[in-house]
Amino acid sequence: MLELCNVNKAYAEGRRVLTNLSYTLKAGEYAAIMGDSGVGKSTLLNLIAGLDTPDSGEIRINGVAISSLDDNAATQLRREQFGFIFQAFHVLPHLTLNQNIALPLLLNGTPTDRVEQMLADVGLRDRGHHFPRQLSGGELQRVAIARALIHRPKLVLADEPTGNLDPDTAHEILQLMRAEIKTNGATGILVTHSHAAAATADFVLNLTKDGLYPVKSERSE
Amino acid sequence: MNSVSLSRWLLFGEWRAHFVQMSVALIAIAIGVAMAFSIHLINTAAFNEFSAASKSLSGQSDLQVYGRKAFFDESLYPLLANTEGVALANPVLELDVVVPGKLQNRNDHKLKIIGIDMFRAVQISPDLLGLTEEGKTLDRLADDAIFLSPAAMEWLQVKQGDSLSLHVRLQTITLRVAGGLVRARAGQRIAVMDIGVAQWRFQQLGLLSRVELKLQDGVNHAAFKVKLAEQLGESYRVVEAIDQEKRIANMSRAYRVNLNMLALVALFTGTFLVFSTQVLSVIRRRQQFALLRVLGFTRQQLLRQIITEGMILGVIGSLLGLGLGYAIAVMAIQLLGGDLGANFFPGVKPGVYFDLLTALTFFLVGLVVTMLGSVAPALEAVRAKPAMALRSGSEDVAMAKFLPPWFAVICVSVALLFTQLPPIFGLPVFGYLAIALLLIGGIALMPRFAAWTFSRLLTQLQHYRLGAVLTLVLARLANAPNQAAIALGGILASFSLMVAMAIMVTSFRISIDGWLEQVLPADLYVRAAAIGDQGGFQSDAQRAIAGLPGFDRVDFFRTQQLILDVNRPEITLFARPVDRTDARNTLPLTDDMIASGSLPENVMPIWVSEAMVDLYGYRVGDKVNLPVSGTSNEFLVAGVWRDYGRQFGAVQMQLADYQRLTGDLSVNTVALWLQTGMTADAAIANCGTAVWRRVGDLPVE
Ligand SMILES: Nc1ncnc2c1ncn2[C@@H]1O[C@H](COP(=O)(O)OP(=O)(O)OP(=O)(O)O)[C@@H](O)[C@H]1O
Ligand SMILES: [Mg+2]
């Protein structure tokens, strides 16, 4: 499903972040990525989502190189297939929670009846008409997660989705994520610093300067 | 369907959250459009009304014959009537007569009186026929009858049957209001009399102002006009109705262009306000737009979203502007008249006419300008890589792309170039463009200026212990200069406009004051209640004034209107005693002059205003011809003087030369210098008992 081939990325001033990174994730796999702060985890997710471009190397999704897509095709791919959760959970401040969560459905032109249920699932039942400014950091993070999952994406990219949650809530939300990914037959990547969180994934990868390596053998399911 | 509701959510969300900013933007657009639209409405209303009014006076004639001076001998009339090709000739005597009761109003105390031959006017200008009391049709020919338009009746507060006093030269005559002119235009102030009666009562025996001609069918108007002009020679002008309109248009052109420029300035300031509000609002939402891109908004969708927003603002703002502009125009015309108090179109009361096409034009201008303000930042927002745009602090990177340094440099250099270019059709078009470009360039330079100043300030001040807040503020301004620059730019734009206006107004006023001192050095001026160019103080009145007690010196002069070019408004001719040893003692001459000592003996010198140099190409040393005595006389241009009063040109000549050429010894203005210790009021009071009564009830300035 997801292939990384010799991906290189450096920022301005020659700051090398990812060097010759290669890895292949099969469809239906749910991987956790851990690694030191600043090693390039968020950068890697941005590259996979097509929000930024690698300096060299290729990223293929279902065999199609993202770089070969024009902007509209890449946008369409993101809209239909991707669920993205940012480290700095971005939401639109002037839309209600219901509206924020319904965004991917609206963009895809699909019915929005799932919004209420999703909101309830992340523990925000009856708050659909509130605005983001009325919510706590952890609640906002849950809104971002609900939005990323609402349209049943085929690829879920989650960047530290539970950083602001207490362990119990975090666990519930991570279980929800896992269940969604598995029922939809989707592929998932979970970036986290928490071993407990990483444990909800199928397996854990470690991102270092040298590359992406499995930490332990695949979890038996 | 869904994307429509999404777009609506985004719009309403934004507007709810930033209501004040949106209102400011709306008001900016509305004001810009309103100013431009109202000024345009006022201009056209005044102009249309004025030309319609002058058309109704000249009726359905094909050609009109005028003298070079205001009046000419009526012997021309039978000549014209018998010319081959003429179907009908209609003699007209037109006078502006002073109304005694209205003298306190310096610019508006005259009534236009038209003397017509009723039997001919029936066929050529039926609008001018008076409506008499029943059974008294012969009143139209009565020797004391005058017919007034409704506006004139209202102005004079008289009705049918009342008597009306008017000034003629230095006497007062009384006429009877015999009826109305029902077909006069609304607001048009005119009076009609029988031409013979008018000649007699207003002491213009044997004189006409114009003869209107109706040509026989099949006569080629243009050819006939040329031939007739040739036949009549230099002393007469043959004019078509169209020429007349052109002249009126030219007369008020500079004034109208300036008003239109003002409208453009308003629109420009409005544009800038709209532009900066839009730019700021788009840049502020860069993260949100990036998020939308991540979630699946295509570039086109995002662009459409931002532009739709600008369009809605533009539509509402422009519509508000049209309404506001219309209201302003109606109010301004009610309060000030069609020329906003400039008195180009006296005695005309125009109505504002709402023209759909014009309204649509101004609406589109407002809309397009607003949309431009959103398109530029929208394009940038759409091109940004979402990953970058999502990071906070990326706004400044965005703005830097907007105003690259070369843009400012180009603006300023082109502006400097434009200041050197000559006017187009007598209008400083490039001058106006240069001002706009300088402003834009200055605004574009603001970010760099802000960054440089603030970082200099920061390094300079680092040696001192600055408070945390001050350091923070300076650091922010130095590193994120673009947002500061937009605000600074707004201030710069409005401030420089204000300064420019203030400088213009004060410098103009200072020069006018200085000029008035030179041109009007006397303490008191007495002007004769003139009828056109004729009349004034005859020699006995002059002797009486010269003998008045309380004055050191008394000068007499003669002013008169001359037409040099059919397509231009009249110039003013001053005949006055000019100091023969040095003309500079009398006139505010520029350095461009021939010293009085070196003037040849046998020529008549004239001194021309700067407008004459620009409009007619007169140069010092030129020999020129002016139709002062009806025929053409040769003069030597001896100097150029500064004149802020008469934009269509003015010429000064020796009074002695004038009197020798025309044989007309009367004058129409007297300048009086008070003896030391004498006040103007006391002098006037003295005169009042002595000779003033002989001189008549004259306006004293
Ligand atoms: N726009 C940028 N310009 C320059 N350097 C950048 C930029 N974005 C990220 N970096 C650098 O690239 C490196 C990788 O950043 P990234 O955000 O991918 O780290 P991360 O692994 O997600 O860290 P964390 O665990 O703290 O979130 C960091 O050292 C960061 O400073
Ligand atoms: Mg990160």
Side-chain angles (χ1 to χ4, degrees):
Chain A
M1 159 85 190
L2 174 68
E3 293 166 76
L4 306 172
C5 309
N6 297 319
V7 172
N8 282 291
K9 177 76 188 174
Y11 284 107
E13 303 126 37
R15 196 183 171 84
R16 299 193 68 80
V17 181
L18 302 175
T19 333
N20 265 334
L21 195 74
S22 295
Y23 194 84
T24 304
L25 204 62
K26 292 193 213 73
E29 282 184 335
Y30 182 25
I33 295 182
M34 299 189 74
D36 298 339
S37 173
V39 78
K41 303 182 293 294
S42 300
T43 304
L44 179 61
L45 285 196
N46 282 337
L47 291 180
I48 296 172
L51 305 181
D52 206 345
T53 44
D55 300 332
S56 65
E58 222 170 58
I59 299 170
R60 282 194 286 269
I61 290 176
N62 291 332
V64 181
I66 300 181
S67 55
S68 71
L69 299 174
D70 67 9
D71 187 76
N72 280 351
T75 305
Q76 190 185 357
L77 183 70
R78 276 203 300 278
R79 180 167 73 210
E80 288 168 0
Q81 312 262 351
F82 288 10
F84 206 100
I85 303 161
F86 296 95
Q87 194 164 10
F89 44 86
H90 295 285
V91 289
L92 291 177
H94 310 310
L95 297 192
T96 62
L97 303 192
N98 276 339
Q99 292 172 335
N100 259 296
I101 293 173
L103 277 176
L105 298 175
L106 282 180
L107 284 167
N108 284 313
T110 47
T112 56
D113 15 312
R114 202 178 173 220
V115 173
E116 300 264 306
Q117 181 57 45
M118 204 68 211
L119 204 59
D121 286 348
V122 294
L124 294 170
R125 187 188 294 281
D126 298 333
R127 307 216 36 196
H129 297 289
H130 285 192
F131 283 94
R133 60 174 180 278
Q134 296 164 299
L135 267 66
S136 76
E139 287 166 338
L140 280 181
Q141 200 155 36
R142 283 182 272 159
V143 172
I145 293 166
R147 184 184 61 204
L149 301 176
I150 186 96
H151 57 303
R152 306 183 208 275
K154 288 292 177 215
L155 180 64
V156 177
L157 302 169
D159 195 351
E160 199 75 52
T162 53
N164 293 34
L165 301 181
D166 62 275
D168 287 348
T169 318
H171 187 73
E172 263 174 50
I173 297 294
L174 287 168
Q175 287 306 331
L176 171 74
M177 242 174 83
R178 184 184 167 78
E180 276 291 321
I181 289 170
K182 290 298 168 194
T183 18
N184 299 334
T187 311
I189 297 179
L190 168 70
V191 167
T192 179
H193 289 290
S194 145
H195 289 285
T200 62
D202 296 342
F203 55 91
V204 182
L205 299 170
N206 199 6
L207 182 64
T208 64
K209 273 187 204 143
D210 311 315
L212 201 51
Y213 301 106
V215 172
K216 53 179 183 184
S217 57
E218 254 176 66
R219 202 175 105 142
S220 49
E221 187 71 5
Chain B
M1 197 56 223
N2 275 328
S3 60
V4 170
S5 64
L6 173 56
S7 150
R8 215 173 39 225
W9 288 357
L10 292 171
L11 283 179
F12 288 150
E14 177 63 22
W15 287 340
R16 229 186 351 251
H18 298 281
F19 183 72
V20 177
Q21 268 131 310
M22 287 303 146
S23 313
V24 168
L26 273 184
I27 291 169
I29 303 163
I31 289 178
V33 173
M35 289 218 26
F37 187 52
S38 62
I39 289 172
H40 173 86
L41 280 179
I42 292 169
N43 275 346
T44 40
F47 182 63
N48 287 343
E49 185 61 28
F50 193 64
S51 53
S54 68
K55 248 186 226 156
S56 88
L57 291 187
S58 57
Q60 300 137 7
S61 61
D62 298 319
L63 291 179
Q64 298 170 28
V65 178
Y66 290 84
R68 287 279 162 189
K69 302 199 330 183
F71 301 104
F72 56 87
D73 196 275
E74 65 184 5
S75 59
L76 184 70
Y77 162 63
L79 216 85
L80 289 172
N82 293 326
T83 303
E84 206 188 307
V86 172
L88 182 78
N90 181 36
V92 178
L93 176 65
E94 195 175 302
L95 304 162
D96 284 325
V97 176
V98 173
V99 180
K102 298 287 180 186
L103 277 174
Q104 67 282 5
N105 194 342
R106 208 178 151 260
N107 285 321
D108 191 18
H109 57 252
K110 290 184 180 166
L111 177 65
K112 184 179 286 304
I113 296 185
I114 300 163
I116 52 170
D117 178 336
M118 303 290 173
F119 301 110
R120 295 194 167 71
V122 169
Q123 301 173 56
I124 210 161
S125 46
D127 285 3
L128 293 179
L129 285 194
L131 192 74
T132 53
E133 270 178 70
E134 217 160 312
K136 286 193 175 178
T137 332
L138 274 182
D139 249 3
R140 287 182 183 154
L141 301 174
D143 65 0
D144 62 345
I146 187 166
F147 295 86
L148 296 175
S149 69
M153 285 199 190
E154 196 193 318
W155 185 58
L156 297 164
Q157 298 188 325
V158 292
K159 53 183 193 309
Q160 193 168 37
D162 287 356
S163 62
L164 174 67
S165 294
L166 295 170
H167 267 168
V168 179
R169 306 234 163 138
L170 306 175
Q171 302 162 359
T172 305
I173 62 162
T174 305
L175 297 168
R176 176 172 55 89
V177 181
L181 299 167
V182 277
R183 276 191 277 183
R185 298 184 62 82
Q188 191 179 18
R189 265 182 351 220
I190 49 167
V192 168
M193 296 175 75
D194 175 69
I195 187 163
V197 175
Q199 284 178 330
W200 168 52
R201 299 304 299 254
F202 295 106
Q203 303 178 21
Q204 306 286 327
L205 282 174
L207 294 178
L208 298 176
S209 343
R210 66 169 179 267
V211 177
E212 298 171 352
L213 301 178
K214 206 161 168 52
L215 303 183
Q216 280 162 0
D217 290 340
V219 173
N220 179 331
H221 289 200
F224 185 87
K225 180 183 158 187
V226 172
K227 208 177 111 215
L228 187 62
E230 236 165 54
Q231 259 173 27
L232 294 176
E234 265 202 2
S235 321
Y236 297 96
R237 299 184 288 128
V238 183
V239 171
E240 260 179 284
I242 310 159
D243 297 339
Q244 193 77 353
E245 271 177 46
K246 223 174 6 188
R247 237 163 52 80
I248 296 162
N250 269 347
M251 182 166 81
S252 58
R253 185 172 78 143
Y255 146 83
R256 281 180 296 128
V257 167
N258 272 330
L259 271 189
N260 280 331
M261 271 349 268
L262 194 70
L264 276 186
V265 164
L267 200 62
F268 178 76
T269 319
T271 317
F272 185 77
L273 259 176
V274 175
F275 187 80
S276 52
T277 349
Q278 280 298 101
V279 170
L280 273 184
S281 127
V282 170
I283 286 187
R284 185 167 40 75
R285 287 179 287 164
R286 241 167 94 84
Q287 286 192 30
Q288 296 178 37
F289 292 144
L291 178 63
L292 285 170
R293 292 274 288 128
V294 172
L295 294 178
F297 245 49
T298 59
R299 285 189 172 147
Q300 295 87 320
Q301 276 176 312
L302 186 57
L303 199 61
R304 211 178 306 141
Q305 176 74 24
I306 301 174
I307 289 175
T308 305
E309 189 183 298
M311 195 168 75
I312 291 174
L313 279 181
V315 168
I316 299 176
S318 300
L319 281 179
L320 280 177
L322 287 187
L324 193 65
Y326 189 76
I328 291 175
V330 170
M331 240 159 52
I333 285 184
Q334 288 274 316
L335 294 177
L336 302 169
D339 45 14
L340 301 179
N343 253 74
F344 279 116
F345 314 115
V348 171
K349 193 166 190 187
V352 178
Y353 174 61
F354 190 89
D355 172 19
L356 197 65
L357 195 72
T358 323
L360 200 71
T361 313
F362 278 84
F363 173 80
L364 283 180
V365 168
L367 180 60
V368 166
V369 153
T370 313
M371 296 208 12
L372 280 182
S374 357
V375 167
L379 282 177
E380 194 284 327
V382 160
R383 276 198 213 108
K385 272 188 196 164
M388 291 298 199
L390 270 173
R391 284 170 208 274
S392 58
S394 71
E395 296 91 339
D396 261 305
V397 185
M399 298 263 334
K401 287 187 199 143
F402 242 75
L403 299 167
W406 51 261
F407 177 73
V409 174
I410 287 179
C411 277
V412 174
S413 354
V414 172
L416 290 179
L417 190 80
F418 277 6
T419 57
Q420 301 306 314
L421 294 180
I424 303 175
F425 299 119
L427 295 177
V429 173
F430 286 114
Y432 291 128
L433 283 179
I435 292 173
L437 281 174
L438 276 179
L439 208 55
I440 296 172
I443 290 164
L445 274 179
M446 272 294 141
R448 262 145 261 277
F449 174 75
W452 184 79
T453 319
F454 292 127
S455 56
R456 283 293 296 268
L457 217 69
L458 195 63
T459 41
Q460 289 287 310
L461 295 179
Q462 247 155 19
H463 310 296
Y464 308 93
R465 287 174 158 268
L466 290 178
V469 175
L470 195 58
T471 314
L472 262 178
V473 168
L474 277 179
R476 163 140 182 80
L477 287 176
N479 295 325
N482 286 299
Q483 292 182 45
I486 285 215
L488 280 177
I491 296 170
L492 178 81
S494 357
F495 184 72
S496 49
L497 282 177
M498 262 161 46
V499 170
M501 296 260 173
I503 290 177
M504 255 167 60
V505 170
T506 41
S507 69
F508 193 61
R509 201 175 279 155
I510 290 171
S511 16
I512 285 219
D513 280 349
W515 168 79
L516 277 179
E517 240 160 64
Q518 273 260 323
V519 171
L520 300 177
D523 302 312
L524 272 184
Y525 281 84
V526 180
R527 199 178 285 163
I531 299 167
D533 288 339
Q534 263 2 67
F537 305 102
Q538 304 298 330
S539 7
D540 55 336
Q542 289 179 34
R543 267 194 303 281
I545 295 172
L548 287 175
F551 299 107
D552 267 342
R553 183 178 146 196
V554 180
D555 272 0
F556 296 98
F557 41 113
R558 188 85 181 79
T559 61
Q560 170 180 324
Q561 304 300 112
L562 278 186
I563 291 194
L564 297 187
D565 177 344
V566 178
N567 292 320
R568 291 186 196 275
E570 295 105 329
I571 67 155
T572 309
L573 175 73
F574 291 90
R576 57 164 12 159
V578 177
D579 192 328
R580 287 186 191 275
T581 53
D582 189 350
R584 277 177 296 191
N585 292 336
T586 318
L587 301 170
L589 290 180
T590 60
D591 292 337
D592 193 9
M593 60 171 286
I594 300 173
S596 301
S598 45
L599 278 177
E601 280 287 313
N602 52 350
V603 300
M604 292 183 285
I606 54 167
W607 295 268
V608 301
S609 70
E610 286 171 325
M612 297 297 295
V613 176
D614 293 339
L615 296 176
Y616 296 93
Y618 284 15
R619 300 275 175 278
V620 170
D622 283 359
K623 293 239 164 85
V624 298
N625 286 301
L626 299 179
V628 171
S629 62
T631 61
S632 193
N633 312 109
E634 195 180 71
F635 294 89
L636 175 74
V637 179
V640 177
W641 55 286
R642 194 150 282 149
D643 184 11
Y644 298 107
R646 285 152 291 260
Q647 50 171 320
F648 311 120
V651 169
Q652 308 250 12
M653 66 182 290
Q654 291 284 8
L655 182 61
D657 288 343
Y658 179 86
Q659 291 175 335
R660 199 157 35 74
L661 288 175
T662 59
D664 177 7
L665 296 181
S666 70
V667 297
N668 49 14
T669 308
V670 187
L672 303 149
W673 278 261
L674 292 171
Q675 277 169 3
T676 33
M678 193 68 147
T679 66
D681 285 344
I684 293 170
N686 265 351
C687 302
T689 50
V691 270
W692 220 246
R693 216 167 297 115
R694 286 179 56 195
V695 175
D697 184 11
L698 301 171
V700 174
E701 292 161 19

